[in-house]
């Protein structure tokens, strides 16, 4: 009988001679004479040679392989590791190699093998598993999750002392990276169950070190704030705890790179010979203050003497390349422009198909005269074509939705601009939180495009809650999905409810501010993956506005087409029915009634009552008198409607042509690019004659309304070295009518006030008025907004913006006057609105400025707006003296110091 025992450290083989001693009952310490033992041994060896020659192969052959105490892996995987099969002849080296291979998997404390009767068994003593990891004594759950991702151990790992020590070190390093020094980390384990441990890191967080002073010895030509503009470690600002100011917290992991950042600041301003020493940090741990010291050699400032482009294959004319460059002769040298030019030249060449073109900038300095010659050496390479497009990461969105946005496909000639535009196009969809297109070289003339995306939040459940003196408790909610079932189609259901503020102003109907509105829409942006799109929507609303109650609803259908990947054109039809009632003043009926209908009868009073009223300055009310009575004086004339028929239920049947363009680089926070959209809506067919019952398209409204808006974005970081986005937004529109008898509803005119026009003035509260003080809206609108948006918290996608809004509404008056006409009561003539040559065009303007917080919250984009100042007058007038811009409360404007918006682009 044979028995083999192997452990991870010891291999013991009990040979036949020892086995014979055991069978005879002999002991290892028996005193056998050496000579006799030798003779007996020789005799046994002679006998065993014959036995081993016939029995060893049979006895050492493996009949079965089994694994005792193994749970970390399957038997099948263990078989692949040990590489011993049934029928193999036992080999000690082979078994030893198998045991070591199993042990090196890292799951076991010990591994050993036994072999008896042809049965090979591997025995395992497994390490404990980690049932969980907890960090106590520091941070929020989100901060703890961030630290756990850095320490290198997680739930499900095997317990290992070395990994634990590494995790402690990593945790301290992570805390130092966040600015906490001297932190103490202790580790303890808690047994959860047999073979399962809970790892607990007890953290005693250290204190932050603040840079009280930064010294740049030798700097004379740049100010400290400019020198530190790119540095991670810089001197603490006064009140540095405030947003937007530098807190001075030491970031030790970045300190070694700050010398290069400072050197880059100098090179952006022409100091090519600038040399910055390694940082010297002196820390007082009793106060946790530090001084940061650098030695600076600035050198001279260089200007560009000449620009030279050397290209081995002139696939693009040199004049074209030179014209595209940012560096200019006689300008102060800027290393940023040099880097940008390398990319510009690369793009110019790569757009011709030469994807592997290489641009090598070089400098030829004339130190004596402070001049530098800029040289660009270009190696063009071979023409490159797309071999394949490989898409990954789209768990919900189908491949075809992504491919239809790409401007490059298999067998296409490479084009770098199209590649970048494809990436921006995917971002503009709003489907993905991350988009990246990488190039994979196949050979000198072929390339694969690797499109990697990460699905974002395309479905939004939005909810808003607010309170205002006009709207009261305001609730708005919407359910929207921009990528319905991964098809690229979008659907939205929106509802807006306001209870009304309960406050009353002169002329307001009861319950002013109350509202309910709903809209359901379904959009397919690419019908059958073509460039055509379609939209269907149903809507209804009920609202009590400042001067009337509005009930309405309708539907619309729209078909559009993409012209390229940036421009969209559409044509739609819309049918809308609106009924206005409950006017705050019966005089509003004149704008919906015929000339034969009396909306306010003539009013009279006695002569004595008139005299007393005038003597009291209007404080004594007039005593009504029958106008047929002798001597009765008319105090208010009879007022009739203004149209040739009754229009209390306006029906608008219209076609709309819409054009839009968008080349921005992000859906929510565009940094560069422009957005433009415009539409022309024709209600009824144009005619100089009076309105008939059919109106060409149906309905009883006839006019043409044109409207357009434009927004431009530019990231100023490359100029100012801070994350600042400049925005300019403008919009304008006008309603054209063909004659003064074409009906125009009051609710289709333009009003100002609110988030989309002039912030700070209540939504739709800015309007021209007639001689009776009735709100008419304007026949034209123009607004312009300037914004500067600063990145406050990049990780949280939060920005702080300053804005200035200006806008005006146009309207017609019967008399000529200056164009801008701001007054509490104007003399707007509604029948002349939009009719060329009728009446005189005037305008009323408003302006405001303030701050807003922009945040991509978990519920979607959120804007919190804080208007600071309002303007409605220039110079003296309307009972108020002022110099320049000012706000006159006598104008009767409704303002607010807070408003918010959700779900819109910034």
């Amino acid at each position: 009988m044979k028995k083999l025992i192997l452990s991870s450290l010891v291999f013991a083989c009990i040979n036949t001679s020892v086995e014979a001693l055991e069978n005879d009952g002999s002991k290892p310490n028996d005193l056998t004479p050496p000579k006799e033992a030798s003779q007996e041994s020789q005799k046994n060896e002679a006998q065993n040679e014959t036995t081993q020659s016939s029995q060893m192969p049979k006895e050492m052959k493996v009949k079965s392989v089994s694994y005792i105490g193994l749970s970390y892996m399957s038997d099948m995987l263990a078989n692949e590791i040990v590489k011993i099969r049934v029928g193999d002849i036992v080999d000690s080296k082979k078994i030893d190699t198998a045991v070591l291979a199993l042990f090196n998997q890292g799951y076991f404390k010990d591994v050993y093998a036994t072999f008896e009767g042809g049965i090979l068994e591997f025995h395992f003593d497994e390490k404990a598993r980690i049932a969980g990891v907890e960090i106590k004594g520091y941070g929020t759950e989100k901060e703890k999750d961030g630290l756990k991702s850095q320490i290198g151990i997680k739930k499900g790992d095997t317990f290992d002392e070395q990994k634990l020590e590494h995790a402690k070190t990593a945790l301290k390093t992570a805390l130092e990276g966040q600015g906490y020094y001297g932190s103490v980390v202790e580790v303890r384990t808690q047994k959860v169950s047999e073979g399962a441990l809970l790892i607990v890191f007890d953290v005693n967080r250290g204190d932050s070190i603040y840079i009280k002073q930064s010294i740049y010895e030798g700097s004379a030509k740049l100010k400290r704030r400019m020198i530190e503009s790119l540095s991670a470690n810089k001197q603490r600002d006064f009140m540095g705890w405030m947003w937007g100011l530098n807190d001075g917290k030491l970031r030790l992991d970045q300190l070694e790179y700050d010398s290069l950042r400072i050197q880059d600041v100098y090179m952006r301003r022409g100091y090519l010979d600038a040399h910055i020493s390694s940082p010297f940090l002196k820390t007082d741990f009793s106060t946790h203050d530090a001084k940061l010291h650098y030695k600076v050699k600035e050198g001279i400032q260089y200007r560009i003497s000449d620009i030279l482009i050397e290209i081995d294959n002139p696939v693009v004319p040199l004049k074209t390349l030179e014209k595209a460059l940012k560096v200019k002769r006689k300008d102060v040298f800027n290393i940023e422009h040099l880097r940008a030019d390398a990319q510009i030249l690369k793009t110019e060449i790569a757009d011709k198909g030469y994807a592997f073109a290489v641009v090598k900038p070089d400098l030829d300095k004339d130190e004596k005269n402070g001049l530098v010659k800029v040289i660009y050496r270009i190696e063009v390479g071979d023409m490159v074509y797309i071999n394949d497009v490989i898409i990954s990461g789209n768990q919900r969105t189908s491949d075809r939705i992504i491919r239809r946005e790409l401007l490059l496909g298999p067998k296409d000639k490479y084009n770098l601009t199209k590649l970048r535009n494809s990436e921006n196009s995917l971002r503009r969809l709003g489907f993905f939180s991350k988009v990246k297109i990488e190039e994979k070289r196949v050979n000198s003339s072929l390339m694969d495009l690797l499109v990697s995306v990460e699905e974002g939040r395309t479905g939004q459940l939005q909810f808003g809650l607010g309170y205002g003196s006009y709207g009261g408790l305001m609730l708005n909610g919407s359910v929207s999905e921009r990528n319905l079932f991964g098809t690229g189609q979008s659907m939205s259901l929106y509802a807006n409810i306001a209870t009304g503020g309960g406050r009353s102003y002169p002329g307001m109907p009861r319950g002013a501010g109350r509202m309910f509105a709903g809209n359901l829409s379904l959009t397919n942006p690419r019908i059958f993956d073509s460039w055509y799109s379609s939209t269907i929507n149903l809507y209804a609303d009920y609202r009590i506005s400042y001067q009337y109650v509005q009930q309405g609803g309708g539907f619309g259908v729209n078909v559009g087409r993409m012209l390229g990947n940036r421009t969209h054109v559409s044509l739609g039809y819309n049918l809308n029915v609106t009924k206005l009632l409950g006017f705050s003043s019966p005089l509003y009926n004149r704008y919906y009634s015929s000339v034969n209908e009396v909306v306010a009868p003539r009013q009279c009073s006695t002569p004595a009552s008139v005299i007393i009223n005038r003597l009291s300055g209007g404080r004594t009310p007039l005593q009504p008198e029958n106008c047929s009575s002798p001597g009765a004086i008319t105090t208010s004339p009879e007022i009739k409607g203004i149209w040739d028929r009754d229009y209390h239920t306006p029906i608008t049947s219209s076609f709309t042509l819409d054009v839009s363009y968008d080349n921005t680089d992000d859906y929510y926070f565009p940094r560069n690019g422009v957005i433009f959209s415009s539409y022309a809506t024709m209600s009824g067919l144009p005619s100089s004659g009076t309105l008939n019952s059919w109106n060409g398209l149906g309905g009883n409204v006839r006019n043409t309304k044109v409207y357009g808006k434009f927004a431009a974005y530019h990231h100023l970081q490359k100029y100012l070295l801070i994350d600042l986005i400049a925005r300019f937004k403008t919009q304008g529109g006008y309603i054209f009518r063909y004659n003064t008898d074409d009906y125009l509803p009051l609710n289709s005119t333009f009003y100002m006030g609110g988030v989309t026009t002039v912030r700070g003035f209540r939504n739709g509260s800015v309007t021209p008025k007639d001689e009776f003080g009735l709100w008419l809206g304007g026949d034209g609108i123009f607004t312009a907004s300037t914004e500067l948006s600063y990145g406050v918290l990049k990780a949280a996608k939060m920005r702080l913006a300053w804005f200035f809004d200006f806008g005006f509404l146009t309207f017609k008056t019967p008399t000529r006057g200056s164009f801008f006409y701001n007054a509490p009561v104007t003399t707007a003539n509604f029948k002349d609105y939009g009719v060329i040559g009728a009446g005189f065009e005037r305008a009323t303007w408003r302006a405001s400025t303030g701050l807003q917080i922009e945040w991509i919250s978990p519920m979607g984009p959120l804007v919190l707006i804080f208007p600071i100042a309002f303007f409605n007058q220039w110079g003296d007038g309307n009972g108020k003296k002022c110099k320049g811009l000012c706000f006159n409360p006598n104008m009767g404007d409704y303002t607010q110091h807070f408003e918010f918006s959700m779900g819109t682009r910034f």
Side-chain angles (χ1 to χ4, degrees), residues 430-445:
F431 298 171
F432 310 110
S433 58
K434 293 182 181 178
V435 175
K436 188 174 184 180
I437 301 180
E438 296 180 300
E439 303 170 355
K440 182 181 179 183
R441 183 169 181 164
V442 178
N443 53 46
S444 62
S445 61

Side-chain angles (χ1 to χ4, degrees), residues 73-87:
M73 65 179 68
S74 65
D75 289 359
M76 183 180 296
L77 179 58
N79 285 334
E80 293 298 321
I81 295 172
V82 302
K83 301 184 185 310
I84 295 177
R85 302 290 184 267
V86 174

Side-chain angles (χ1 to χ4, degrees), residues 34-290:
K35 185 175 180 180
E36 293 179 14
S38 177
Q39 292 175 353
E40 186 176 351
S41 176
Q42 291 175 6
K43 181 180 179 181
N44 289 340
E45 285 178 3
Q47 293 175 350
N48 288 337
E49 282 179 2
T50 306
T51 304
Q52 286 184 3
S53 63
S54 60
Q55 295 180 359
M56 180 72 80
K58 182 178 179 182
E59 292 181 2
M60 298 297 286
K61 184 179 291 187
V62 177
K63 296 179 180 179
S64 67
V65 180
S66 59
Y67 304 94
I68 310 301
L70 178 64
S71 62
Y72 278 145
M73 65 179 68
S74 65
D75 289 359
M76 183 180 296
L77 179 58
N79 285 334
E80 293 298 321
I81 295 172
V82 302
K83 301 184 185 310
I84 295 177
R85 302 290 184 267
V86 174
D88 290 352
I89 303 299
V90 167
D91 182 282
S92 61
K93 292 183 179 180
K94 193 172 184 180
I95 296 177
D96 191 30
T97 301
V99 169
L100 291 175
L102 288 168
F103 184 79
N104 288 335
Q105 298 301 309
Y107 300 136
F108 315 107
K109 294 179 182 178
D110 191 20
V111 180
Y112 67 93
T114 62
F115 180 81
E116 187 173 359
I119 299 174
L120 180 61
E121 293 180 342
F122 291 91
H123 299 262
F124 301 88
D125 184 7
E126 295 182 326
K127 292 180 179 179
R129 293 197 185 197
I130 297 175
V133 178
E134 289 185 2
I135 298 176
K136 293 187 176 182
Y138 169 75
T140 63
E141 289 302 320
K142 185 175 182 180
E143 289 174 324
K144 290 178 181 179
D145 289 341
L147 289 175
K148 288 176 184 177
S149 65
Q150 300 178 57
I151 60 179
I153 61 173
K154 61 183 183 300
K155 181 179 179 180
D157 287 352
T158 55
F159 179 80
D160 187 288
E161 291 287 351
Q162 290 183 343
K163 284 187 177 181
L164 217 56
E165 288 301 316
H166 172 76
K168 285 177 61 177
T169 303
L171 189 53
K172 289 181 181 179
T173 303
L175 289 170
E176 288 181 356
Q178 296 179 12
Y180 302 109
Y181 301 93
S183 301
V184 177
V185 179
E186 298 291 341
V187 184
R188 53 190 171 90
T189 60
Q190 297 177 3
K191 187 174 181 180
V192 177
S193 61
E194 190 64 34
L197 297 175
L198 173 67
I199 309 299
V200 181
F201 292 92
D202 291 311
V203 177
N204 186 0
R205 193 189 70 188
D207 295 312
S208 295
I209 295 175
Y210 294 93
I211 301 172
K212 188 177 182 180
Q213 184 181 14
S214 56
I215 301 170
Y216 301 92
E217 183 182 339
S219 64
K221 298 171 183 177
L222 295 182
K223 294 182 178 179
R224 177 186 61 80
R225 186 172 291 275
M226 180 61 68
I227 294 173
E228 292 181 335
S229 58
L230 299 180
S231 299
N233 295 277
K234 56 188 77 173
Q235 181 175 312
R236 180 182 175 91
D237 289 336
F238 174 69
M239 298 178 68
W241 48 267
M242 292 183 64
W243 274 4
L245 298 179
N246 174 49
D247 59 7
K249 186 180 290 188
L250 176 65
R251 293 163 176 84
L252 192 61
D253 58 330
Q254 294 294 313
L255 190 60
E256 62 179 308
Y257 307 111
D258 279 345
S259 297
L260 297 175
R261 294 181 178 120
I262 295 170
Q263 185 179 35
D264 199 67
V265 170
Y266 272 97
M267 295 186 74
R268 293 184 185 193
R269 286 152 184 82
Y271 297 95
L272 296 177
D273 301 326
H275 177 266
I276 315 300
S277 70
S278 298
F280 175 75
L281 186 71
K282 183 179 180 181
T283 305
D284 184 346
F285 285 97
S286 63
T287 61
H288 297 96
D289 290 335

